[in-house]
């Protein structure tokens, strides 16, 4: 952590637990942001002293007002600035003079309005740095801490939420108020609630590190509109998960692929910002959510129930259809229906009617009352083959909904296995749902919705038990050689490195390149082909040609010296027919590797996450199916192997249906070397190794074609 | 109109709109930060200046003026 991050962590403790708060720029007008913030703090019953600051008023809400913050004689821990943006710098400067270290700047009119606002925001940052202050905002809704030790509502939200163990952080203030309303209706409480707006000073990363050690927080939810420091966010999330075992759920808006369209390489065009974001989140252990509902569905599972130990679930239902729907979704999410042991089966035979289905999903039949649910649930929960229960209820005329809800709550209270519920319907089941929510039993309006939270909590539990390896740093690489090729070309104003140059860069990182040489004449072509051995591949080399196939610049299966000499002239003539004014550097001749499987590897620099490595099967798998996987560099061996296994066509490499098992370890090695190249040569914007020819197990792989954009 | 006279009229107008004593208004006072004008009062001030000096100011630029001295200079450019 940097010095400033350390300072933020310290100042955030003061910000969340202030003993004295000044509201700078507040007024007496109800229904305005400056006025309501002061009222909200008073109404939340802050565990501390509050000072209104207003240049004109002698008092606000019967509390003595001060003209300037520096006029307050006692120390002030936290200042909330609600002045218009044009004078926020003066207000912040005075806060600095007063010795205030924690500030929330609610005011809008900064980066979000353009250049002038950005300038103002930069001024605020400079003032904060000068006085060792930390501030949240500007352009935010504010901060809420429900902990009775603080009870701070420094926001203009309508509600003060119930106390809970979920922290919610959001870049959007408007979403915050909607979330508060949503959560209140579901009896969901919060530990901390933060709208961080333009994150000019304190960012989501600082907040994650603060919440890592916050005893009141068990689950962290984050809504982001833009990621300014991807690697920093990944590291913070990894630290939170590893050190404090708290899940991090992120809803990231902007699932568009703009930017990818302009890319030259395969990697560039396949690695859209959202695909990279998905991969980066998965790599860091972050659970990505698509919407507010899904986020809270998963959050309540984490917040209220124990984590599942395995994917084996039991479904208990009083209706067949919903049971089947839930089973389908469970399988899709990677869960399995547990097979009950003999003892459980006997219990079910004794306690359930003969018409009941005693196999998983257990159907206790439409006329089931609380006693039948009790028998099915206790039987299943005590079975060592079961690691979680999904309980479904549909309201029939004899269903004692409230009693069943109480029964579930009692069993869940004493169970170490997670229990989720779905009482289907709305009006009839509402009191039952309230009972479940009161006892913090996760409830989902649709039964299928129970499956993703179960899968997510299981994923997280397994993740926290894994030991994450460090990326391998290869010492047999020549970083200087790679950098000098890149620099030389950059100096010459060249941004595209054709194969014969690009091959030297990857060769410097000890990636096995197929034996090759550049021929500058017909005779030289024959000589080189002879020395390499047949068959050879011949390709045109030119800084002006990116897609060699398109201009007939590639010929395969050249089998003799005479053929090589003829092909040399033929390629040059074919290319010249299709492209005028092209400068041809020569013909690249390489040994043709036979009998392998083609895969593609690539690098792309992403503006949010930095260097990203891509892997996929070559040919149509990459062109049409876009069957590829991504990881943010640096990549350890486990991650490299998981990249290979993750693609849908991975079985083609693993010896499926009588095929040869290919050399997976050599691909993983190539991925890790490429990852190191990406980290050490950040000038590389895009790189394609297409194809990397992988031979059978133990025989290695070869780079057959490379291109680099710098 | 001479600058001291403009300043006197500016202070008188501000005192009237913000309902404060003229003596409380220093030359460098900021309408918002020092005199407590809110956004509505800032707009009323612009309208009052226009009426007092019988001028029509460019609204966007007028909103950027936030001090007494700034207002005197700005209004003077219209006289």
């Amino acid at each position: 952590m940097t010095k400033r991050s350390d300072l933020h962590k310290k100042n955030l403790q003061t910000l969340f637990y202030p003993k004295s708060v000044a509201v700078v720029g507040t007024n007496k007008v109800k229904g305005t942001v400056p006025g309501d913030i002061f009222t909200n703090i008073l109404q939340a019953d802050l565990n501390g002293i509050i000072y209104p600051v207003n240049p004109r008023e002698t008092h606000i809400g019967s509390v003595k007002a001060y003209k300037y913050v520096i006029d307050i004689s006692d120390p002030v821990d936290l200042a909330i600035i609600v002045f218009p943006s044009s004078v926020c710098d003066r207000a912040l400067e005075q806060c600095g003079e007063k010795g205030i270290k924690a500030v929330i700047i609610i005011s809008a009119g900064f980066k979000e309005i353009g250049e002038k606002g950005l300038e103002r925001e930069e001024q605020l940052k400079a003032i904060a740095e000068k006085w060792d202050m930390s501030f949240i905002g500007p352009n935010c809704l504010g901060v809420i801490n429900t902990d009775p030790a603080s009870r701070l509502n420094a926001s203009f939200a309508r509600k003060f939420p119930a106390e809970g163990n979920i922290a919610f952080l959001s870049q959007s203030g408007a979403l915050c108020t909607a979330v508060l309303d949503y959560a209140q209706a579901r009896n969901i409480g919060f530990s901390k609630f933060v709208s961080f707006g333009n994150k000019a000073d304190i960012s989501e990363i600082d907040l994650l590190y603060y919440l890592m050690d916050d005893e009141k927080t068990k689950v962290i939810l984050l809504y982001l509109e833009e990621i300014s420091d991807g690697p920093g966010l990944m590291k913070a999330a990894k630290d939170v998960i590893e050190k404090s075992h708290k899940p991090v759920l992120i809803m990231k808006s902007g699932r568009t692929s703009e930017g990818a369209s302009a890319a030259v390489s395969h990697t560039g065009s396949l690695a859209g910002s959202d695909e990279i974001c998905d991969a980066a989140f998965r790599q860091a252990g972050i659970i990505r959510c698509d919407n507010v509902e899904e986020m809270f569905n998963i959050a309540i599972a984490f917040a209220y129930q124990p984590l599942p130990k395995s994917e084996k679930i039991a479904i208990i239902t009083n209706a067949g259809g919903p049971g089947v729907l839930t089973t389908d979704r469970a399988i899709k999410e990677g869960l399995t229906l547990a097979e009950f042991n003999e003892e459980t089966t006997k219990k079910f035979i004794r306690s359930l009617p003969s018409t009941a289905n005693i196999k998983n999903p257990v159907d206790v039949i439409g006329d089931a009352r609380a006693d039948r649910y009790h028998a099915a649930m206790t039987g299943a929960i005590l079975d060592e083959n079961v690691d979680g229960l999904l309980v479904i209820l549909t309201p029939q005329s004899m269903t004692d909904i409230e009693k069943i809800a109480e029964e579930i709550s009692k069993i869940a209270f004493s169970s170490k296995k997670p229990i989720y519920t779905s009482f289907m319907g709305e009006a009839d089941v509402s009191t039952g749902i309230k009972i479940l929510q009161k006892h913090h039993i996760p409830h989902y309006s649709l039964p299928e919705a129970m499956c993703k939270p179960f899968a997510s909590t299981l994923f997280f539990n397994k993740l926290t038990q894994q030991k994450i390896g460090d990326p391998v740093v290869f010492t047999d690489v020549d970083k200087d050689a790679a950098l000098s090729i890149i620099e030389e070309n950059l100096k010459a104003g060249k941004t595209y490195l054709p194969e014969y140059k690009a091959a030297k860069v990857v060769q410097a990182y000890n990636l096995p390149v197929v034996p090759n040489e550049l021929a500058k004449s017909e005779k030289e072509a024959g000589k080189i082909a002879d020395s390499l051995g047949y068959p050879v591949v011949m390709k045109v080399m030119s800084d002006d040609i990116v897609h060699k196939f398109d201009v007939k610049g590639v010929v395969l299966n050249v089998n003799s010296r005479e053929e090589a000499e003829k092909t040399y002239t033929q390629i040059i003539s074919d290319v010249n027919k299709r492209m005028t004014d092209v400068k041809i550097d020569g013909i690249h001749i390489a040994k043709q590797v036979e009998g392998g499987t083609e895969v593609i590897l690539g690098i792309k620099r992403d503006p949010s996450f930095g260097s990203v490595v891509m892997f996929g099967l070559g040919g149509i798998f990459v062109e049409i199916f876009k069957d590829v996987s991504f990881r943010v560099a640096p990549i350890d061996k486990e991650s490299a192997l998981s990249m290979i296994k993750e693609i849908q066509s991975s079985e083609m490499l693993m010896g499926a249906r009588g095929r040869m098992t290919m050399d997976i370890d050599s691909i993983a090695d190539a991925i890790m070397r490429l990852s190191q190249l990406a980290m050490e040569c950040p000038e590389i914007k895009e790189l394609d190794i297409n194809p990397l020819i992988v031979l059978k197990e133990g025989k290695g792989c070869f780079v057959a074609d490379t291109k680099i954009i710098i | 109109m001479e600058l001291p006279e403009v300043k006197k009229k500016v202070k008188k107008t501000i005192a009237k709109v913000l309902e404060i004593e003229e003596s409380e208004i220093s030359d460098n006072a900021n309408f918002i930060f020092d005199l407590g004008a809110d956004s509505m009062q800032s707009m009323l001030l612009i309208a009052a200046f226009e009426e007092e000096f019988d001028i029509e100011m460019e609204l966007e630029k007028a909103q950027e003026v936030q001090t007494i001295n700034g207002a005197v200079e700005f209004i003077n450019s219209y006289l």
Side-chain angles (χ1 to χ4, degrees):
Chain A
M1 280 172 93
T2 63
K3 208 178 154 192
R4 190 106 187 111
S5 314
D6 286 337
L7 182 78
H8 287 334
K9 195 166 179 180
K10 189 175 146 220
N11 289 343
L12 273 168
Q13 179 64 16
T14 310
L15 189 146
F16 283 115
Y17 292 89
K19 289 291 162 216
S20 49
V21 177
V23 186
V24 184
T26 186
N27 61 34
K28 285 181 171 173
V29 191
K30 288 203 170 114
T32 63
V33 172
D36 283 2
I37 290 213
F38 182 76
T39 312
N40 285 347
I41 297 174
L42 277 181
Q43 283 179 352
D45 196 18
L46 174 80
N47 191 10
I49 303 160
I50 179 164
Y51 300 101
V53 175
N54 181 293
R56 295 178 62 199
E57 308 291 352
T58 53
H59 63 279
I60 289 173
S62 309
V63 183
K64 183 191 171 191
Y66 294 82
K67 182 164 185 176
Y68 300 113
V69 76
I70 41 173
D71 295 341
I72 303 166
S73 53
D74 291 324
V76 175
D77 286 340
L78 167 67
I80 301 151
I81 298 177
V82 284
F83 265 131
S85 59
S86 58
V87 293
C88 282
D89 56 338
R90 284 192 66 186
L92 190 63
E93 186 75 46
Q94 282 202 349
C95 291
E97 282 172 36
K98 173 72 188 152
I100 299 169
K101 297 297 174 198
V103 179
I104 302 166
I105 303 175
I106 304 282
S107 323
F110 291 92
K111 189 172 80 177
E112 75 282 4
I113 62 155
E115 190 111 343
K116 195 167 178 191
L118 183 66
E119 212 175 283
R120 282 181 184 146
E121 207 167 287
E122 292 300 325
Q123 279 170 354
L124 297 183
K125 277 156 78 171
I127 295 166
E129 274 183 39
K130 182 175 123 189
W131 294 103
D132 280 344
M133 288 187 281
S134 302
F135 69 87
I136 281 185
N139 186 27
C140 67
L141 181 91
V143 172
I144 297 172
N145 180 7
T146 60
D147 187 346
S150 172
R151 287 196 62 82
L152 172 73
N153 183 8
S155 81
F156 58 98
R158 293 170 79 98
K159 298 171 198 296
F160 187 72
E163 198 188 348
N165 53 15
I166 298 171
F168 184 80
L169 318 172
S170 173
Q171 205 170 346
S172 155
L175 185 80
C176 284
T177 53
V179 161
L180 282 174
D181 196 42
Y182 176 93
Q184 191 190 32
R186 284 156 187 78
N187 198 30
I188 297 170
F190 294 97
S191 54
K192 308 284 184 292
F193 200 92
V194 183
S195 152
F196 53 83
N198 292 5
K199 52 174 173 171
D201 192 28
I202 290 173
S203 71
E204 68 275 21
I205 296 171
D206 303 307
L207 288 160
L208 280 173
Y209 278 116
Y210 175 80
L211 294 169
M212 180 168 88
D213 298 328
D214 179 37
E215 284 173 8
K216 297 283 173 180
T217 299
K218 196 175 165 193
V219 187
I220 303 168
L221 313 186
L222 178 54
Y223 169 74
L224 280 176
E225 281 165 358
E226 47 106 6
I227 295 169
S228 31
D229 177 8
L233 176 65
M234 287 174 72
K235 187 174 181 319
K238 268 187 190 171
D239 284 345
V240 170
I241 295 163
E242 259 179 63
K243 292 176 188 161
S244 66
H245 288 199
K246 294 177 187 177
V248 178
L249 279 62
I250 300 185
M251 186 166 53
K252 159 80 177 65
S253 58
R255 277 189 176 270
T256 57
S257 57
E258 62 176 28
S261 54
V264 180
S265 65
H266 279 295
T267 311
S269 62
L270 289 163
S273 58
D274 202 55
E275 287 82 0
I276 290 172
C277 189
D278 259 346
F281 281 9
R282 217 172 22 247
Q283 201 174 338
I286 294 165
I287 296 166
R288 187 170 185 180
C289 306
D290 283 334
N291 51 57
V292 172
E293 190 170 11
E294 184 179 284
M295 187 178 236
F296 278 93
N297 278 350
I298 299 171
I300 56 172
F302 275 114
Y304 301 155
Q305 291 290 295
L307 298 177
K309 289 202 173 92
S310 84
E311 66 288 346
K312 289 180 283 181
I313 54 161
I315 297 172
I316 292 165
T317 176
N318 66 348
V324 176
L325 284 172
T326 310
T327 304
D328 286 347
R329 181 64 68 83
I331 304 297
K332 224 176 190 177
E333 293 289 352
L335 309 178
T336 56
L337 293 194
E339 207 165 296
F340 298 127
N341 65 26
E342 212 175 308
E343 201 184 323
T344 308
T345 308
K346 276 183 192 164
K347 273 187 208 164
F348 286 166
I349 292 170
R350 274 200 306 269
S351 53
L352 298 177
S354 58
T355 46
N357 179 20
I358 58 165
K359 286 195 173 163
N360 207 356
V362 180
D363 188 348
V364 290
I365 309 295
D367 61 350
R369 299 175 75 89
D371 58 333
R372 229 183 269 170
Y373 268 96
H374 173 89
M377 285 180 67
T378 48
I381 208 94
L382 292 171
D383 191 316
E384 74 274 6
N385 292 337
V386 176
D387 276 312
L389 287 192
L390 308 185
V391 184
I392 303 165
L393 175 147
T394 57
Q396 330 294 347
S397 62
M398 69 291 292
T399 313
D400 44 359
I401 300 165
E402 292 79 17
K403 263 195 175 176
I404 294 170
E406 293 286 2
E407 201 55 56
I408 294 171
S409 306
K410 267 188 224 158
I411 294 169
F413 183 73
S414 53
S415 166
K416 285 186 177 156
K417 296 175 184 176
I419 299 177
Y420 306 165
T421 58
S422 176
F423 281 18
M424 295 178 75
E426 196 134 358
D428 284 355
V429 291
S430 62
T431 30
I433 292 171
K434 281 206 177 103
I435 292 168
L436 293 170
Q437 285 170 340
K438 191 180 115 197
H439 290 101
H440 286 164
I441 311 297
H443 176 267
Y444 305 91
S445 42
L446 293 173
E448 310 91 282
M450 293 187 279
C451 300
K452 187 160 182 188
F454 198 97
S456 300
T457 48
L458 178 63
F459 157 80
F460 181 78
N461 199 15
K462 284 185 177 171
L463 186 78
T464 53
Q465 285 163 22
Q466 272 171 18
K467 198 175 159 5
I468 299 166
D470 291 325
V472 178
V473 179
F474 295 98
T475 51
D476 59 346
V477 302
D478 191 347
K479 178 182 159 188
D480 293 340
L483 279 174
S484 77
I485 297 168
I486 292 166
E487 274 160 25
E488 195 182 295
N489 280 276
L490 277 175
K491 266 187 200 158
K494 292 177 178 170
T495 54
Y496 168 64
L497 301 192
E499 187 174 357
Y500 72 100
K501 287 180 186 171
K504 284 183 186 153
V505 173
V506 297
Q507 227 161 1
Y509 274 73
N510 237 336
L511 280 136
V513 175
V514 171
N516 68 87
E517 242 178 285
L518 186 71
K520 298 219 171 203
S521 70
E522 213 179 273
K523 282 207 166 156
E524 209 181 352
K527 214 171 142 189
I528 291 169
D530 253 3
S531 70
L532 292 173
Y534 297 99
V536 294
V537 185
M538 296 177 68
K539 300 172 203 171
V540 66
M541 279 303 119
S542 164
D543 291 352
D544 306 323
I545 305 169
V546 180
H547 300 294
K548 298 182 280 283
F549 269 104
D550 298 350
V551 290
K552 288 212 162 189
V554 181
V555 176
L556 301 166
N557 295 315
V558 176
N559 280 306
S560 67
R561 185 181 188 126
E562 294 70 36
E563 214 183 317
E565 287 176 357
K566 214 174 126 193
T567 307
Y568 181 95
T569 319
Q570 187 63 47
I571 290 177
I572 291 177
S573 146
D574 283 344
V575 170
N576 280 328
K577 270 184 216 162
R578 283 160 186 83
M579 278 180 90
T580 49
D581 290 338
V582 59
K583 186 182 167 290
I584 294 172
D585 297 327
I587 300 296
H588 182 261
I589 307 175
K591 179 98 180 84
Q592 188 168 318
V593 181
E594 290 175 301
T597 300
E598 292 187 1
V599 301
I600 178 171
L601 294 183
I603 296 173
K604 186 189 173 183
R605 277 206 61 85
D606 180 76
S608 298
F609 290 98
S611 296
V612 178
V613 178
M614 184 191 82
F615 165 77
L617 225 57
I620 58 162
F621 291 96
V622 66
E623 298 273 359
I624 300 169
F625 301 120
K626 298 184 172 34
D627 185 16
V628 289
S629 57
F630 301 98
R631 292 290 184 280
V632 176
I635 299 171
D636 61 12
K637 186 156 187 187
E638 275 304 308
S639 297
L641 288 169
S642 68
M643 274 178 89
I644 301 165
K645 286 174 195 156
E646 191 177 297
I647 61 165
Q648 286 170 22
S649 46
S650 65
E651 286 190 6
M652 303 270 287
L653 298 164
M654 314 286 184
R657 293 179 182 244
R659 293 175 68 93
M660 267 191 299
T661 303
M662 309 315 279
D663 199 335
I664 304 296
D665 273 350
S666 74
I667 308 176
D669 188 82
I671 289 172
M672 290 189 289
R673 285 179 184 277
L674 208 58
S675 149
Q676 189 171 335
L677 169 65
M679 293 295 289
E680 292 176 353
C681 302
E683 295 83 0
I684 296 176
K685 285 185 184 156
E686 290 176 33
L687 179 152
D688 262 358
I689 294 179
N690 186 24
L692 176 84
I693 299 174
V694 190
L695 303 177
K696 70 175 179 183
E697 203 170 9
K699 297 288 178 193
C701 61
F702 286 99
V703 175
D705 198 346
T706 320
K707 67 174 120 186
I708 295 176
I709 314 290
I710 49 177
Chain B
M1 200 183 294
E2 294 295 315
L3 276 183
E5 200 185 337
V6 177
K7 188 180 279 184
K8 206 175 162 193
K9 277 188 161 190
V10 164
K11 283 191 177 179
K12 196 179 118 198
T13 311
I14 293 168
K16 200 171 139 193
V17 173
L18 300 184
E19 294 172 6
I20 50 176
E21 293 297 322
E22 265 186 70
S23 58
E24 288 176 37
I25 307 169
S26 69
D27 290 357
N28 288 317
N30 182 296
F31 303 148
I32 301 166
F33 192 71
D34 300 305
L35 305 179
D38 58 26
S39 52
M40 179 56 83
Q41 286 164 326
S42 299
M43 294 304 289
L44 288 175
L45 267 178
I46 293 170
F49 287 143
E50 285 183 336
E51 200 183 314
E52 181 66 36
F53 293 98
D54 195 20
I55 54 173
E56 202 173 313
M57 299 190 288
E58 202 183 322
L59 191 62
E60 208 173 309
K61 282 190 179 163
Q63 282 173 323
E64 284 173 24
V65 177
Q66 292 192 359
T67 60
I68 309 300
N69 281 341
V72 171
E73 210 175 297
F74 187 69
I75 291 165
N76 196 47
S77 69
Y78 284 90
L79 298 175

